[in-house]
Amino acid sequence: MIPFSPPKIYQEIIDEVADTLKSGWITTGPKTKLLEQKIEEYIGALKVLCVNSATAGLELMLRWYGVKEGDEVIIPAYTYCATANVVRHCGATPVMVDVNEHDFNINIEKIKHAITSKTKAIIPVDFAGFPADYDEIMQLVKSEQIKQHFVPENENQHKLNRIFVLSDAAHSFGANYKKQKTGTLCDATVFSFHAVKNFTTAEGGAIALNLPQPFANTEIYKYLNIISLHGQSKDALAKTQAGAWQYDVIEAGYKANMTDILASLGLVEIKYYEKETLPKRKAIFRFYTEKLNEQQWATLPPYETETKESSYHLYPLRIKGISEQQRNAIIKQIAENGVSVNVHFQPLPLLSYYKNLGYNIEDYPVAYKNYAHEISLPVYYDLTNEQMQKVIDTVIDVVNNVLKNA
Ligand SMILES: *Cc1c(COP(=O)(O)O)cnc(C)c1O
């Protein structure tokens, strides 16, 4: 069976993790802080805080902006549940909008119509690693016409004086937008380093800060660092200094810190990410695209345009003109032939919790159509040429077969 996205675990990673275990420093410490610096250098962000998941990072940032009950946060209907769940955790209302047909990303016109005086934040998602339309989103929130409806309710909201743009870049670590990396394109960006993502620390994530003047990103970093560990004024590292046992608690903070065991994986991966990991993933995308281009029924994902380059996280193939049932039958047959594929994502209004809150999939026709036609193909570093060929042969055979018998 060709798996869908196994992690790449090699000796250097095992050695680095073992080194951490032997050092006796297994929670947040020097390796986590070093990984933060490496990520800052790599993406060119002002300040990066590592956390234990993207979910925690997104929630921390919404809380930092004071998002609460009665507020609205605009998100795409086509995403993983985490994007909406964190809004619910804050007691606010996720306002779901439909997506673009061509790239699955949040639609700008739909955002415009969803903005109200209760809107406090927008969370664009870089689906499959392909960046959303950041310039258009930033222009929109900065326009006088939109800004005049914004109702600031706390210090940070007064300072920014507009809708906060928080990117869910769980898929797009290393992606480019107009020659800049994700993490530098809006107010704050959150990456996921979960096991199935491009860059993994098993579980983990990072917040990249890029707030405009008069915000001081270093000060916000320090604050978030404290809030990600119970609001404790000193972390474990600071407390190791001789005699420095005493600390204060400034707020009822969260428990979202990354550990050095996890950071060890990241420190090795970041060495190879730009030069080996991304080129390999790109080669897989190119191979699939070349082979599937000839198929009349195939809609292929964008991954490299004049202004954007994907991080090649997911390869969302779409089959034209099929029903959801036919798509499911195709997936079943592909699996029976030894290839694991997947679907990204079930639009949120299809999930019980959100359906029961009153979200209706009929309000998101593009999201539904993209979902019903979608099959994600395996993309990972250790995928061999033979396996890539087998994926293509199997997909083409099965789809032709299903279409013929339709
Ligand atoms: C994986 C994922 C997340 C959550 O990441 P965690 O690190 O597991 O919290 C959030 N948003 C999207 C779009 C994802 O795919």
Side-chain angles (χ1 to χ4, degrees), residues 16-84:
E16 188 71 30
V17 172
D19 176 71
T20 305
L21 292 172
K22 286 178 194 158
S23 79
W25 196 275
I26 56 175
T27 181
T28 311
K31 289 196 180 179
T32 303
K33 296 300 133 186
L34 184 59
L35 180 60
E36 290 175 351
Q37 284 171 19
K38 298 275 177 198
I39 294 172
E40 281 167 17
E41 283 164 27
Y42 174 54
I43 63 177
L46 296 173
K47 223 44 209 154
V48 169
L49 177 75
C50 283
V51 286
N52 61 5
S53 71
T55 306
L58 289 165
E59 181 170 341
L60 274 178
M61 289 317 296
L62 289 179
R63 300 241 183 224
W64 170 81
Y65 203 54
V67 172
K68 56 166 182 27
E69 202 178 327
D71 292 340
E72 296 177 351
V73 177
I74 297 175
I75 65 168
Y78 206 91
T79 181
Y80 180 59
C81 62
T83 321

Coordinates of all heavy atoms in Angstrom, one line a residue, residues 16-84:
E16 N 19.3 13.9 17.0 CA 19.0 15.2 17.6 C 18.0 15.0 18.8 O 18.2 15.7 19.8 CB 18.5 16.1 16.6 CG 18.4 17.6 17.0 CD 19.7 18.3 17.2 OE1 20.7 18.0 16.5 OE2 19.7 19.2 18.1
V17 N 17.0 14.2 18.6 CA 16.0 14.0 19.7 C 16.7 13.3 20.9 O 16.6 13.6 22.0 CB 14.8 13.1 19.2 CG1 13.9 12.7 20.4 CG2 14.0 13.9 18.2
A18 N 17.6 12.3 20.5 CA 18.3 11.6 21.6 C 19.2 12.5 22.3 O 19.4 12.5 23.6 CB 19.2 10.4 21.0
D19 N 19.9 13.5 21.6 CA 20.7 14.5 22.2 C 19.9 15.3 23.2 O 20.4 15.6 24.3 CB 21.3 15.4 21.1 CG 22.1 16.5 21.7 OD1 23.2 16.2 22.2 OD2 21.7 17.7 21.6
T20 N 18.7 15.7 22.9 CA 17.9 16.4 23.8 C 17.5 15.6 25.0 O 17.6 16.1 26.1 CB 16.6 16.8 23.0 OG1 16.9 17.5 21.9 CG2 15.7 17.7 23.9
L21 N 17.1 14.4 24.8 CA 16.8 13.5 25.9 C 18.0 13.4 26.9 O 17.8 13.5 28.1 CB 16.3 12.1 25.4 CG 15.0 12.1 24.7 CD1 14.8 10.7 24.0 CD2 13.8 12.4 25.6
K22 N 19.1 13.2 26.3 CA 20.3 13.0 27.2 C 20.7 14.3 27.9 O 21.3 14.3 28.9 CB 21.5 12.5 26.3 CG 21.4 11.1 25.9 CD 22.5 10.7 25.0 CE 22.3 9.4 24.3 NZ 23.1 9.3 23.1
S23 N 20.4 15.4 27.3 CA 20.8 16.7 27.9 C 20.0 17.0 29.2 O 20.4 17.8 30.0 CB 20.5 17.9 26.9 OG 19.1 18.2 26.9
G24 N 18.9 16.3 29.4 CA 18.1 16.5 30.6 C 17.1 17.7 30.4 O 16.3 17.9 31.2
W25 N 17.3 18.4 29.3 CA 16.4 19.6 29.0 C 15.3 19.2 28.0 O 15.5 19.3 26.8 CB 17.2 20.8 28.6 CG 16.3 21.9 28.7 CD1 15.4 22.4 27.9 CD2 16.2 22.8 29.9 NE1 14.7 23.4 28.4 CE2 15.2 23.7 29.7 CE3 16.9 22.8 31.1 CZ2 14.8 24.6 30.6 CZ3 16.5 23.7 32.1 CH2 15.5 24.6 31.8
I26 N 14.2 18.7 28.5 CA 13.2 18.1 27.6 C 12.0 19.1 27.4 O 11.2 18.9 26.4 CB 12.7 16.7 28.0 CG1 12.2 16.7 29.4 CG2 13.9 15.7 27.9 CD1 11.6 15.4 29.9
T27 N 11.8 20.0 28.3 CA 10.6 20.9 28.0 C 11.2 22.2 27.2 O 12.2 22.1 26.6 CB 9.9 21.3 29.3 OG1 8.8 22.2 29.0 CG2 10.9 22.0 30.3
T28 N 10.4 23.3 27.2 CA 10.8 24.5 26.5 C 12.2 25.0 27.0 O 12.3 25.2 28.2 CB 9.8 25.6 26.7 OG1 8.5 25.1 26.4 CG2 10.1 26.7 25.7
G29 N 13.1 25.1 26.1 CA 14.5 25.5 26.5 C 15.2 26.0 25.3 O 14.6 26.6 24.4
P30 N 16.5 25.8 25.3 CA 17.4 26.4 24.3 C 17.1 26.0 22.9 O 17.2 26.8 21.9 CB 18.8 26.0 24.7 CG 18.6 24.9 25.7 CD 17.3 25.1 26.4
K31 N 16.6 24.7 22.7 CA 16.4 24.3 21.3 C 15.1 24.9 20.7 O 15.0 25.2 19.5 CB 16.3 22.8 21.2 CG 17.7 22.1 21.4 CD 17.7 20.7 21.0 CE 19.1 20.2 21.2 NZ 19.3 18.7 20.8
T32 N 14.1 25.1 21.6 CA 12.9 25.8 21.1 C 13.2 27.2 20.7 O 12.8 27.7 19.7 CB 11.8 25.8 22.2 OG1 11.6 24.4 22.6 CG2 10.5 26.4 21.7
K33 N 14.0 27.9 21.5 CA 14.4 29.3 21.2 C 15.3 29.4 19.9 O 15.1 30.3 19.1 CB 15.1 29.9 22.4 CG 14.3 30.0 23.7 CD 13.0 30.9 23.5 CE 11.8 30.2 24.0 NZ 10.5 30.9 23.7
L34 N 16.1 28.4 19.8 CA 16.9 28.4 18.5 C 16.1 28.1 17.3 O 16.3 28.8 16.3 CB 18.0 27.2 18.7 CG 19.0 27.1 17.5 CD1 19.8 28.4 17.3 CD2 20.0 26.0 17.7
L35 N 15.1 27.2 17.4 CA 14.2 27.0 16.3 C 13.4 28.3 15.9 O 13.2 28.6 14.7 CB 13.2 25.8 16.6 CG 12.2 25.5 15.5 CD1 13.0 25.1 14.2 CD2 11.3 24.4 15.9
E36 N 13.0 29.0 16.9 CA 12.3 30.3 16.6 C 13.2 31.2 15.8 O 12.8 31.8 14.8 CB 11.9 31.0 18.0 CG 10.8 30.2 18.7 CD 10.4 30.8 20.0 OE1 11.2 31.7 20.5 OE2 9.4 30.4 20.6
Q37 N 14.5 31.3 16.2 CA 15.4 32.2 15.4 C 15.6 31.7 14.0 O 15.6 32.4 13.0 CB 16.8 32.2 16.1 CG 16.9 33.0 17.3 CD 18.2 32.8 18.0 OE1 19.2 32.3 17.5 NE2 18.2 33.2 19.3
K38 N 15.7 30.3 13.8 CA 15.9 29.7 12.5 C 14.7 30.0 11.6 O 14.8 30.3 10.4 CB 16.1 28.2 12.6 CG 17.4 27.9 13.4 CD 18.6 27.9 12.5 CE 19.8 27.6 13.2 NZ 21.1 28.0 12.6
I39 N 13.5 29.9 12.2 CA 12.3 30.2 11.4 C 12.2 31.7 11.1 O 11.9 32.0 9.9 CB 11.0 29.7 12.2 CG1 11.0 28.2 12.4 CG2 9.7 30.2 11.5 CD1 9.9 27.7 13.3
E40 N 12.5 32.6 12.0 CA 12.6 34.0 11.7 C 13.5 34.3 10.5 O 13.1 35.0 9.6 CB 13.1 34.8 12.9 CG 12.0 35.0 14.0 CD 12.6 35.5 15.3 OE1 13.8 36.0 15.3 OE2 12.0 35.4 16.3
E41 N 14.7 33.7 10.5 CA 15.6 33.9 9.5 C 15.1 33.4 8.1 O 15.2 34.0 7.1 CB 17.0 33.2 9.7 CG 17.8 33.9 10.7 CD 18.9 33.0 11.3 OE1 19.3 32.0 10.6 OE2 19.4 33.2 12.4
Y42 N 14.5 32.2 8.2 CA 14.0 31.5 7.0 C 12.9 32.3 6.3 O 12.9 32.6 5.1 CB 13.6 30.1 7.3 CG 12.9 29.4 6.1 CD1 13.6 29.3 4.9 CD2 11.7 28.8 6.2 CE1 13.0 28.7 3.8 CE2 11.1 28.2 5.1 CZ 11.8 28.2 3.9 OH 11.2 27.6 2.9
I43 N 11.9 32.7 7.1 CA 10.8 33.4 6.5 C 10.9 34.9 6.4 O 10.1 35.6 5.7 CB 9.4 33.0 7.1 CG1 9.3 33.4 8.5 CG2 9.2 31.5 6.9 CD1 8.0 33.1 9.2
G44 N 11.8 35.4 7.2 CA 12.0 36.9 7.2 C 10.9 37.6 8.1 O 10.6 38.7 7.8
A45 N 10.5 36.9 9.1 CA 9.4 37.5 10.0 C 10.1 38.3 11.1 O 11.2 38.1 11.4 CB 8.6 36.4 10.6
L46 N 9.3 39.2 11.6 CA 9.8 40.1 12.7 C 10.1 39.3 13.9 O 11.1 39.4 14.6 CB 8.8 41.2 12.9 CG 8.6 42.2 11.7 CD1 7.5 43.2 12.0 CD2 9.9 42.9 11.4
K47 N 9.1 38.4 14.3 CA 9.2 37.7 15.5 C 8.4 36.4 15.4 O 7.3 36.4 14.9 CB 8.6 38.5 16.7 CG 9.4 38.6 18.0 CD 10.9 38.8 17.9 CE 11.5 38.2 19.1 NZ 12.9 37.8 19.0
V48 N 9.0 35.3 15.9 CA 8.3 34.0 15.8 C 8.3 33.3 17.2 O 9.3 33.3 17.9 CB 9.0 33.0 14.8 CG1 8.5 31.6 14.9 CG2 8.8 33.6 13.4
L49 N 7.1 32.9 17.6 CA 6.9 32.1 18.8 C 6.5 30.7 18.5 O 5.5 30.5 17.8 CB 5.9 32.7 19.7 CG 5.6 32.0 21.0 CD1 6.7 32.2 22.0 CD2 4.3 32.4 21.7
C50 N 7.3 29.7 19.0 CA 6.8 28.3 18.8 C 5.8 27.9 19.8 O 5.9 28.3 21.0 CB 8.0 27.4 18.9 SG 9.1 27.4 17.4
V51 N 4.8 27.2 19.4 CA 3.8 26.7 20.3 C 3.5 25.2 20.1 O 4.2 24.6 19.2 CB 2.5 27.5 20.1 CG1 2.6 28.9 20.7 CG2 2.1 27.6 18.7
N52 N 2.6 24.6 20.8 CA 2.4 23.2 20.7 C 1.4 22.8 19.6 O 1.3 21.6 19.4 CB 2.0 22.6 22.1 CG 0.7 23.1 22.6 OD1 0.1 23.9 21.9 ND2 0.4 22.8 23.8
S53 N 0.7 23.7 19.0 CA -0.1 23.4 17.8 C -0.5 24.7 17.1 O -0.5 25.7 17.7 CB -1.4 22.6 18.2 OG -2.3 23.4 18.9
A54 N -0.9 24.5 15.9 CA -1.5 25.7 15.2 C -2.8 26.1 15.8 O -3.1 27.3 15.9 CB -1.7 25.3 13.7
T55 N -3.5 25.2 16.3 CA -4.8 25.5 16.9 C -4.6 26.4 18.1 O -5.2 27.4 18.3 CB -5.5 24.2 17.4 OG1 -5.6 23.3 16.3 CG2 -6.9 24.4 18.0
A56 N -3.6 26.0 19.0 CA -3.3 26.9 20.1 C -2.8 28.2 19.7 O -3.2 29.3 20.3 CB -2.3 26.2 21.0
G57 N -2.0 28.3 18.6 CA -1.5 29.5 18.2 C -2.6 30.5 17.7 O -2.6 31.7 18.0
L58 N -3.5 29.9 16.9 CA -4.6 30.7 16.4 C -5.5 31.3 17.6 O -5.8 32.4 17.6 CB -5.5 29.9 15.5 CG -4.9 29.5 14.1 CD1 -5.7 28.4 13.4 CD2 -4.9 30.7 13.2
E59 N -5.7 30.4 18.6 CA -6.5 30.9 19.7 C -5.8 31.9 20.5 O -6.4 32.9 20.9 CB -6.9 29.7 20.6 CG -7.8 30.2 21.8 CD -8.4 29.1 22.6 OE1 -8.5 27.9 22.1 OE2 -8.8 29.4 23.7
L60 N -4.5 31.7 20.7 CA -3.7 32.8 21.4 C -3.9 34.1 20.8 O -4.0 35.1 21.4 CB -2.3 32.4 21.5 CG -1.8 31.5 22.6 CD1 -0.3 31.2 22.5 CD2 -2.1 32.1 24.0
M61 N -3.8 34.1 19.4 CA -3.8 35.4 18.7 C -5.2 36.0 18.7 O -5.3 37.2 18.9 CB -3.3 35.2 17.3 CG -1.8 35.0 17.1 SD -0.8 36.0 18.2 CE -1.1 37.6 17.6
L62 N -6.2 35.2 18.6 CA -7.6 35.8 18.7 C -7.8 36.4 20.1 O -8.4 37.4 20.3 CB -8.6 34.7 18.5 CG -8.8 34.2 17.0 CD1 -9.9 33.1 16.9 CD2 -9.1 35.4 16.1
R63 N -7.3 35.7 21.1 CA -7.4 36.2 22.5 C -6.6 37.4 22.7 O -7.0 38.3 23.4 CB -7.0 35.1 23.5 CG -7.8 33.8 23.4 CD -8.5 33.5 24.7 NE -9.2 32.3 24.6 CZ -10.4 32.1 25.1 NH1 -11.1 33.2 25.7 NH2 -11.0 31.0 25.0
W64 N -5.4 37.4 22.1 CA -4.6 38.6 22.2 C -5.3 39.8 21.7 O -5.3 40.9 22.2 CB -3.3 38.4 21.4 CG -2.5 39.7 21.3 CD1 -1.7 40.2 22.2 CD2 -2.5 40.6 20.2 NE1 -1.2 41.4 21.8 CE2 -1.7 41.7 20.5 CE3 -3.2 40.6 18.9 CZ2 -1.5 42.7 19.6 CZ3 -2.9 41.7 18.1 CH2 -2.1 42.7 18.4
Y65 N -6.1 39.6 20.6 CA -6.9 40.7 20.0 C -8.2 41.0 20.8 O -8.9 41.9 20.4 CB -7.1 40.5 18.5 CG -7.3 41.8 17.7 CD1 -6.4 42.8 17.8 CD2 -8.5 41.9 17.0 CE1 -6.6 44.0 17.1 CE2 -8.7 43.1 16.3 CZ -7.8 44.2 16.4 OH -8.0 45.3 15.7
G66 N -8.4 40.2 21.7 CA -9.6 40.4 22.6 C -10.9 39.9 21.9 O -12.0 40.5 22.2
V67 N -10.8 38.9 21.0 CA -12.1 38.4 20.4 C -12.9 37.7 21.4 O -12.4 36.8 22.1 CB -11.7 37.5 19.2 CG1 -12.9 36.8 18.6 CG2 -11.0 38.4 18.1
K68 N -14.2 38.0 21.5 CA -15.0 37.5 22.6 C -16.5 37.3 22.1 O -16.8 37.6 20.9 CB -15.0 38.4 23.8 CG -15.4 39.9 23.3 CD -15.6 40.7 24.5 CE -16.1 42.1 24.1 NZ -16.8 42.3 22.9
E69 N -17.3 36.9 23.0 CA -18.7 36.7 22.7 C -19.3 38.0 22.1 O -19.0 39.1 22.5 CB -19.4 36.4 24.0 CG -20.7 35.7 23.8 CD -21.4 35.3 25.1 OE1 -20.8 35.1 26.1 OE2 -22.7 35.3 25.1
G70 N -20.1 37.8 21.0 CA -20.7 38.9 20.3 C -19.9 39.3 19.1 O -20.5 40.0 18.3
D71 N -18.7 38.9 19.0 CA -17.8 39.3 17.9 C -18.0 38.3 16.8 O -18.4 37.2 17.0 CB -16.3 39.3 18.3 CG -16.0 40.4 19.3 OD1 -16.8 41.4 19.3 OD2 -15.0 40.3 19.9
E72 N -17.6 38.7 15.6 CA -17.6 37.9 14.4 C -16.2 37.7 13.8 O -15.5 38.7 13.7 CB -18.6 38.4 13.3 CG -20.0 38.5 13.8 CD -21.0 39.1 12.8 OE1 -20.6 39.6 11.8 OE2 -22.2 39.0 13.1
V73 N -15.9 36.5 13.3 CA -14.6 36.3 12.7 C -14.9 35.6 11.3 O -15.6 34.6 11.3 CB -13.7 35.4 13.5 CG1 -12.4 35.1 12.8 CG2 -13.4 36.1 14.9
I74 N -14.5 36.2 10.3 CA -14.7 35.7 8.9 C -13.7 34.6 8.6 O -12.5 34.8 8.7 CB -14.8 36.8 7.9 CG1 -15.9 37.8 8.2 CG2 -14.9 36.3 6.5 CD1 -15.9 39.0 7.3
I75 N -14.2 33.4 8.1 CA -13.3 32.3 7.8 C -13.9 31.7 6.5 O -15.1 31.8 6.2 CB -13.2 31.3 8.9 CG1 -14.6 30.6 9.1 CG2 -12.7 31.9 10.2 CD1 -14.6 29.4 10.0
P76 N -13.1 30.9 5.7 CA -13.6 30.2 4.6 C -14.4 29.0 5.1 O -14.0 28.4 6.1 CB -12.4 29.8 3.8 CG -11.3 29.7 4.9 CD -11.6 30.8 5.9
A77 N -15.4 28.6 4.4 CA -16.2 27.4 4.7 C -15.4 26.1 4.4 O -15.7 25.1 4.9 CB -17.5 27.4 3.9
Y78 N -14.4 26.3 3.6 CA -13.5 25.2 3.1 C -12.2 25.2 3.9 O -11.2 25.8 3.5 CB -13.3 25.4 1.6 CG -13.0 24.1 0.9 CD1 -14.1 23.4 0.3 CD2 -11.7 23.5 0.8 CE1 -13.9 22.2 -0.4 CE2 -11.5 22.3 0.1 CZ -12.6 21.7 -0.4 OH -12.4 20.5 -1.1
T79 N -12.2 24.5 5.0 CA -11.0 24.4 5.8 C -11.1 23.3 6.8 O -12.2 22.6 6.9 CB -10.8 25.8 6.6 OG1 -9.5 25.7 7.3 CG2 -11.9 26.1 7.5
Y80 N -10.1 23.1 7.6 CA -10.1 22.1 8.7 C -10.9 22.8 9.8 O -10.8 24.0 10.0 CB -8.7 21.8 9.1 CG -8.6 20.8 10.2 CD1 -9.2 19.5 10.1 CD2 -7.9 21.1 11.4 CE1 -9.1 18.6 11.1 CE2 -7.9 20.2 12.4 CZ -8.4 18.9 12.3 OH -8.4 18.0 13.3
C81 N -11.5 22.0 10.6 CA -12.4 22.5 11.7 C -11.6 23.4 12.7 O -12.3 24.2 13.3 CB -13.0 21.3 12.5 SG -11.8 20.2 13.3
A82 N -10.3 23.2 12.8 CA -9.6 24.1 13.8 C -9.8 25.6 13.6 O -9.9 26.3 14.5 CB -8.1 23.8 13.7
T83 N -9.9 26.0 12.3 CA -10.1 27.4 12.0 C -11.3 28.0 12.6 O -11.3 29.1 13.1 CB -10.1 27.6 10.4 OG1 -9.2 26.7 9.8 CG2 -9.8 29.0 10.0
A84 N -12.4 27.2 12.6 CA -13.6 27.6 13.2 C -13.7 27.3 14.7 O -14.2 28.1 15.5 CB -14.8 26.9 12.5

